Amino acid sequence: MSNIIEYGSGSSEPSRRDGLPDRSFSGKGQHSGPVLLDISGDSIHGTVTVADTQFASVRVYTRSTVQSVVDAVRKTKIYLSGNTLTVKVPDFQVPPTVIQGGSSRMVFSGSVSFIQVGGRSTMIGGSGSGEDMVRVEVTLPRHSDIRADLGSGLLDVHGDLVGIEGDLSSGSIDVRGSVGKALVELSSGSFGIGRVTEGIEAKASSGSLNIGEYTGSHAKLRVSSGSMNLNVGRAAS
């Protein structure tokens, strides 16, 4: 690839008192204007904000002290090639959470924040808790696009996009804004968009797709055993 700006030349890893890595990247001086954010990773919690800015920026960090999560932050690839901003978080394993109560023993894998037994909720801490994720915060200029391959990750988007392409296994993408074009493929994940203005193509096996308002001219939807909610607006054709 040509014109690649990698982590190290356009970013930094400031020292933190808690010793955890906190990495940042800015496209300032390298690329101005809209970008295509290509983000991938399994156990990540991403937040994207579309704002009145000329340059895209990225922050990658964690609140976890689990070594595999800390290493994943340090090994995350962040680079800019042309107008494509890539953030690639490597796969990592999180030790399971074990809850022991009397003669009962429960083992949870993945990101767990609480359990509910008999109507009572119990917070879970330690390994396997909701903190054991790589957190990614991205700020994009207006008129940008997103391509996301998240596995079981989470991605919250605040603002309007030209387009979004999402591939989810059991993850979740929530776009709180409008999207011109959307291309979605779900296994058992959930995908929500506030409004689609041009077109959408979606394939869901057992996932959940929710479109607050559809005002486009092209829709191709295929749902196997999943659920779909699409509200067609008056401007749709």
Side-chain angles (χ1 to χ4, degrees):
M1 292 180 290
S2 60
N3 299 323
I4 296 179
I5 309 301
E6 293 199 39
Y7 171 82
S9 59
S11 56
S12 61
E13 184 176 350
S15 174
R16 289 181 51 178
R17 293 180 182 177
D18 56 16
L20 297 177
D22 191 331
R23 300 174 54 182
S24 62
F25 179 96
S26 174
K28 187 175 183 179
Q30 311 299 334
H31 176 81
S32 175
V35 299
L36 166 61
L37 172 63
D38 188 353
I39 182 170
S40 62
D42 193 15
S43 297
I44 72 172
H45 187 173
T47 302
V48 177
T49 303
V50 182
D52 289 321
T53 182
Q54 293 183 344
F55 310 105
S57 61
V58 180
R59 181 190 177 200
V60 181
Y61 65 102
T62 185
R63 296 171 182 166
S64 174
T65 57
V66 174
Q67 192 59 48
S68 59
V69 185
V70 172
D71 290 342
V73 172
R74 293 193 172 115
K75 295 177 181 178
T76 295
K77 294 182 179 179
I78 311 170
Y79 58 86
L80 182 65
S81 177
N83 69 334
T84 300
L85 174 61
T86 299
V87 179
K88 187 174 183 179
V89 180
D91 293 339
F92 59 92
Q93 296 293 324
V94 176
T97 295
V98 179
I99 303 298
Q100 186 78 43
S103 61
S104 299
R105 185 173 185 268
M106 294 175 285
V107 179
F108 299 85
S109 62
S111 298
V112 181
S113 57
F114 71 92
I115 58 173
Q116 184 170 336
V117 180
R120 301 177 63 183
S121 298
T122 302
M123 298 303 297
I124 297 176
S127 299
S129 72
E131 296 298 332
D132 293 332
M133 303 182 77
V134 173
R135 295 177 180 268
V136 181
E137 296 178 354
V138 183
T139 300
L140 297 178
R142 296 194 184 279
H143 309 296
S144 292
D145 297 77
I146 293 178
R147 180 169 59 222
D149 185 356
L150 297 184
S152 60
L154 310 175
L155 184 65
D156 294 322
V157 181
H158 304 271
D160 302 335
L161 299 169
V162 171
I164 187 168
E165 179 179 342
D167 190 345
L168 300 173
S169 297
S170 58
S172 171
I173 294 180
D174 184 18
V175 181
R176 302 172 188 179
S178 67
V179 172
K181 298 179 180 179
L183 181 62
V184 182
E185 185 167 351
L186 302 174
S187 294
S188 60
S190 65
F191 204 116
I193 302 177
R195 183 162 64 105
V196 175
T197 60
E198 295 182 34
I200 180 172
E201 292 188 13
K203 177 182 178 182
S205 54
S206 60
S208 172
L209 178 65
N210 182 48
I211 307 299
E213 183 182 20
Y214 171 74
T215 58
S217 58
H218 171 74
K220 184 178 180 181
L221 309 172
R222 187 172 73 177
V223 179
S224 298
S225 59
S227 64
M228 180 185 68
N229 179 30
L230 187 146
N231 299 308
V232 180
R234 295 182 178 180
S237 58

